[in-house]
Amino acid sequence: MSLFKIFDIAGSAMSAQSQKMQVHASNLANSDSLVNKNGKLYPYISKRVVLQFDNFKGSKSGGVKVKEIVEDKMPCRVIYDPNSPIANSKGFAKTSNVNIVSETISAISASRNYQANLEILNTIKFMIMKTLTIGQ
């Protein structure tokens, strides 16, 4: 494997982790939001990023790519909030299924993965620079 393919692999991972961070940020920002669909209000449903192996042609190794962004299947919480615009006649309203703790942990994990791939890029850059100085 060429050292230069490592740039592609680490770059694809950084791109995927960046997209995961965007989705986690969106989930955290919208955890208390209501979504207007066809004139009716619904609680925000959290999103999940599905990653997929992305192999390079003629190689068994590869990077990663975002396959899709899907809605989380966790059920919405029901709370007593008679002042909510989506409360039923008994005063109960559905709220977002965003779990703040799990979103924060997942965001930290994505951030660490991004940093690890950045470190790989720096290490490969250092190795290439050292290789260029052979014989000087």
Side-chain angles (χ1 to χ4, degrees):
M1 176 191 301
S2 163
L3 282 178
F4 295 107
K5 280 190 178 180
I6 297 172
F7 284 113
D8 294 335
I9 294 170
S12 71
M14 290 171 64
S15 175
Q17 296 304 326
S18 173
Q19 222 167 337
K20 281 183 77 173
M21 287 291 296
Q22 290 176 15
V23 169
H24 291 307
S26 175
N27 287 341
L28 289 171
N30 290 295
S31 64
D32 291 330
S33 298
L34 295 175
V35 178
N36 187 350
K37 289 183 184 174
N38 301 327
K40 193 171 179 185
L41 294 174
Y42 296 94
Y44 175 81
I45 304 297
S46 68
K47 310 288 187 284
R48 295 280 171 244
V49 175
V50 179
L51 300 179
Q52 180 180 23
F53 176 71
D54 185 20
N55 67 334
F56 298 131
K57 291 180 181 173
S59 175
K60 292 182 180 178
S61 63
V64 64
K65 67 179 180 182
V66 173
K67 179 180 179 187
E68 61 184 335
I69 297 173
V70 297
E71 288 190 345
D72 194 350
K73 299 201 183 304
M74 290 291 293
C76 292
R77 292 175 290 138
V78 178
I79 61 168
Y80 180 72
D81 184 6
N83 296 325
S84 172
I86 61 171
N88 63 18
S89 60
K90 295 180 181 177
F92 290 99
K94 286 185 176 181
T95 63
S96 175
N97 63 352
V98 174
N99 182 329
I100 302 294
V101 173
S102 123
E103 289 294 332
T104 303
I105 291 170
S106 295
I108 291 170
S109 174
S111 171
R112 296 285 187 224
N113 285 337
Y114 187 94
Q115 290 173 356
N117 283 288
L118 186 61
E119 189 59 37
I120 287 172
L121 287 180
N122 284 332
T123 301
I124 295 302
K125 178 181 156 193
F126 177 77
M127 290 171 60
I128 291 172
M129 295 303 289
K130 278 295 192 186
T131 303
L132 292 174
T133 61
I134 291 176
Q136 289 182 353

